[in-house]
Amino acid sequence: MIALIQRVRSASVTVSDNMVGQTGPGLLVLLGVQKGDSEEKADRLLKKVLNYRVFSDPEGRMNLSLMDVGGEMLVVSQFTLAADTRKGTRPGFSTAAAPADAELLYDYFSAQAAQKVTVATGQFGADMQVSLVNDGPVTFWLEV
């Protein structure tokens, strides 16, 4: 399971010109689900995302987590994170989870996150437009 996290001042996601999710200061989490991923992996990844120290302390060092700063989270499904890009110029998606399995884990991850912080989500499987103000910019690839 993969999370591309971006520290944001704000982020939103629209589907067919309708805003379906938005967040204030916090994290945009692009979530990719791979074959063999499980709720256990989702729990481990969520713990890492919530506690990853990407926010600045009073000295300007990245020592604070989303939990420390009380930030929000926007979770957007992103199956392309599971792409195999090692060969050629066209990505392969054989490592991505089947859509039904991925949706279950995406929903699970989002629901578990919502028990800890304020969470907004995109719409699984939809053609989404994501807007963000990346703060820093700060972006990290997390995988479990």
Side-chain angles (χ1 to χ4, degrees):
M1 187 168 272
I2 302 163
L4 183 72
I5 63 170
Q6 296 180 299
R7 186 178 74 188
V8 297
R9 291 189 181 189
S10 63
S12 64
V13 61
T14 60
V15 175
S16 301
D17 294 324
N18 295 313
M19 186 178 300
V20 297
Q22 68 179 18
T23 188
L27 294 175
L28 168 62
V29 178
L30 302 175
L31 188 68
V33 181
Q34 298 173 294
K35 288 180 182 174
D37 284 344
S38 62
E39 288 183 358
E40 178 187 348
K41 280 190 174 183
D43 290 338
R44 286 194 345 246
L45 183 60
L46 177 60
K47 183 177 180 180
K48 194 169 192 176
V49 168
L50 291 173
N51 294 293
Y52 214 68
R53 297 182 300 168
V54 299
F55 295 91
S56 298
D57 66 14
E59 288 80 41
R61 294 187 184 97
M62 283 196 267
N63 279 327
L64 302 176
S65 70
L66 185 69
M67 298 295 289
D68 295 330
V69 300
E72 301 176 3
M73 182 187 300
L74 175 60
V75 183
V76 177
S77 61
Q78 180 82 43
F79 87 98
T80 60
L81 289 175
D84 182 353
T85 60
R86 294 174 291 181
K87 293 185 347 184
T89 57
R90 183 169 188 241
F93 296 102
S94 61
T95 59
D101 296 335
E103 185 172 12
L104 287 173
L105 286 174
Y106 168 77
D107 289 342
Y108 177 82
F109 181 94
S110 300
Q112 295 301 109
Q115 293 180 21
K116 306 282 186 183
V117 296
T118 300
V119 173
T121 62
Q123 182 179 329
F124 186 89
D127 180 21
M128 296 177 277
Q129 290 69 53
V130 180
S131 299
L132 68 139
V133 177
N134 193 318
D135 185 15
V138 173
T139 303
F140 292 96
W141 172 286
L142 305 177
E143 188 171 5
V144 296

